[in-house]
Amino acid sequence: MADLFSPAWMARFVEEWNKDPELSDALAQIGFNSVIAYGYPEEEKPRAFLVVQNGKATASGVYTDQPLNWDIRAQHPQWLKWIEKSPGMTGLGMAFTTGKIKFKVGDYASMLKDPRMAGPFVKSFSAMSKI
């Protein structure tokens, strides 16, 4: 497996994202467009970004100050744990409550209240686990 959030890892994430209809097709149905960043809470900037257009991942790479809709952070061991075993909605809710996942940009609470977004968010971790 390539290093977490490296360009090679992110390229595989794009592939896995687009293969999962419960992720990409579900987001396409609501016209979801976003730039999502991933990284570690102790770092000033995220490590990587993913561009999603109409539900499909269209680009990814090293973060270079792109404007973001979401900036999701967790400690490296926590990311590895989720990649090993995808969390469910309850697990992510607990992670948010306990500070194991942080959103530097984006409204986690409103996303969770919208099942059209919450389900695909959980599925994004399943896509990560296939890399």
Side-chain angles (χ1 to χ4, degrees), residues 31-36 50-55 67-70 117:
F32 183 81
N33 298 300
S34 279
V35 178
I36 306 166
L50 178 76
V51 176
V52 180
Q53 295 178 320
N54 201 30
L68 300 172
N69 303 100
W70 300 92
M117 289 181 63

Side-chain angles (χ1 to χ4, degrees), residues 9-17 38 50 124 127-128 131:
W9 193 93
M10 291 301 293
R12 288 286 321 279
F13 186 36
V14 166
E15 291 173 19
E16 295 301 331
W17 179 290
Y38 301 91
L50 178 76
S124 72
M128 288 179 183
I131 299 171

Side-chain angles (χ1 to χ4, degrees), residues 36-108:
I36 306 166
Y38 301 91
Y40 307 115
E42 68 277 6
E43 295 179 349
E44 181 181 338
K45 296 182 179 186
R47 292 278 177 115
F49 75 95
L50 178 76
V51 176
V52 180
Q53 295 178 320
N54 201 30
K56 301 290 184 191
T58 59
S60 67
V62 174
Y63 178 74
T64 56
D65 295 323
Q66 296 87 341
L68 300 172
N69 303 100
W70 300 92
D71 182 353
I72 306 169
R73 309 289 185 99
Q75 295 291 331
H76 188 264
Q78 187 64 54
W79 282 117
L80 295 178
K81 181 179 174 185
W82 288 328
I83 289 167
E84 180 71 26
K85 183 176 186 249
S86 299
M89 186 59 69
T90 303
L92 286 173
M94 287 297 294
F96 181 73
T97 302
T98 60
K100 290 181 180 177
I101 190 169
K102 298 180 186 307
F103 288 76
K104 291 203 170 195
V105 176
D107 185 353
Y108 181 72

